């Protein structure tokens, strides 16, 4: 490999320009440093969260392609990023999977993060859940490196506990009824994946509960427009089957 003139200076300049380009704060800026653990040692860009490796390499090449020859990349992730990934892996997992065996490993979370730009919370609800998950995981040892304790906490306790407590975001009507009435596999789906019961199941559960609270009755009544629409669509489908 040919020597690159003023390589250190040029790589640090690229790193600073990329930090500005991606709007990263100073405490998470992209650094150009020599990786002493690589064999042979090599220059490496190091950053946390922010752009994906593919995005960073493409942008860096546009700034100084010659200086990048042989340069490595090491993208690290914050606890919040691991928590967000764990939440999304569970919430958006295969709906056909046995809910009693739902889980997320640090490998699963890492694969998702590797393709996610700026892997932070998408809204206040996800931000609250991620913060609660990180806090709950602090009592666990991180056996397999960064993110391991977070993923094991999510796997063992599920997601619904993250939406409980006085400071938790408000549940939607269907979520409120799922939290109260789901049983068996439906309860497991809610606990681990935040998958609610159907509106018809929720409405029927409240109707069958002679001691249902005013809060739960009111929540059930908000489902009526959706139920009417579903019944009308089902009726229209049946009517078509009677047509010659």
């Amino acid at each position: 490999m040919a020597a690159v003139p003023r390589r250190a200076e040029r790589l640090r300049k690229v790193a600073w320009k990329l930090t500005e380009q991606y709007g990263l704060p100073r405490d998470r800026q992209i650094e150009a440093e020599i990786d002493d653990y690589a064999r042979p040692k090599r220059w490496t860009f190091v950053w946390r969260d922010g752009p994906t490796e593919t995005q960073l390499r493409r942008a860096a090449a546009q700034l100084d392609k010659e200086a990048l020859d042989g340069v490595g990349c090491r993208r690290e992730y914050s606890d919040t990023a691991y928590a967000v990934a764990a939440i999304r892996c569970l919430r958006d997992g295969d709906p056909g999977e046995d809910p009693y065996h739902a889980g997320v490993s640090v490998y699963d979370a890492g694969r998702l993060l590797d393709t996610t730009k700026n892997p932070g919370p998408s809204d206040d609800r996800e931000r609250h859940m991620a913060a609660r998950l990180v806090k709950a995981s602090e009592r666990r040892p991180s056996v397999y490196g960064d993110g391991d304790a977070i993923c094991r906490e999510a796997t063992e306790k599920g997601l619904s506990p993250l939406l409980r407590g006085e400071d938790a975001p408000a549940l939607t009507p269907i979520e409120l009824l799922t939290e109260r009435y789901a049983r068996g596999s439906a309860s497991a789906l809610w606990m681990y994946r935040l998958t609610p019961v159907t509106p018809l199941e929720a409405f029927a559960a409240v109707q069958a509960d002679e001691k249902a609270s005013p809060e739960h009755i009111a929540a059930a009544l908000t489902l009526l427009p959706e139920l009417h629409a579903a019944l009308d669509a089902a009726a229209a489908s049946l009517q078509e089957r009677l047509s010659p």
Side-chain angles (χ1 to χ4, degrees), residues 214-228:
E215 180 184 23
H216 292 120
I217 293 173
L221 291 174
T222 67
L223 303 177
L224 284 175
E226 188 174 353
L227 288 171
H228 287 158

Side-chain angles (χ1 to χ4, degrees), residues 28 67 74 80 103 131 178-179 198 218 227 229:
R28 289 197 288 116
R74 187 172 78 246
T80 298
T178 301
E179 176 81 5
T198 67
L227 288 171

Side-chain angles (χ1 to χ4, degrees), residues 18 30-31 77 84 164 181 244:
L18 290 173
I30 299 167
E31 302 281 0
Y77 301 112
V84 168
R164 297 172 187 156
Y181 291 105

Side-chain angles (χ1 to χ4, degrees), residues 143-234:
V143 178
Y144 297 107
D146 293 345
D148 172 63
I150 291 169
C151 291
R152 286 192 292 119
E153 177 71 20
T155 294
E156 292 184 21
K157 298 297 180 63
L159 301 182
S160 65
L162 304 177
L163 292 175
R164 297 172 187 156
E166 293 182 359
D167 62 337
L171 298 178
T172 65
I174 191 67
E175 290 175 338
L176 180 68
L177 297 177
T178 301
E179 176 81 5
R180 169 65 180 85
Y181 291 105
R183 297 292 183 271
S185 61
S187 178
L189 280 169
W190 170 247
M191 176 178 291
Y192 292 107
R193 296 198 181 280
L194 290 185
T195 302
V197 298
T198 67
L200 184 58
E201 290 170 332
F203 191 88
V206 176
Q207 190 176 31
D209 182 6
E210 296 181 355
K211 297 182 179 180
S213 70
E215 180 184 23
H216 292 120
I217 293 173
L221 291 174
T222 67
L223 303 177
L224 284 175
E226 188 174 353
L227 288 171
H228 287 158
L231 288 172
D232 289 344

Side-chain angles (χ1 to χ4, degrees), residues 77-87 106 109-110 113 119 133 146-147 150-151:
Y77 301 112
S78 63
D79 286 346
T80 298
Y82 274 115
V84 168
I87 290 167
V106 69
L113 290 171
L133 180 54
D146 293 345
I150 291 169
C151 291

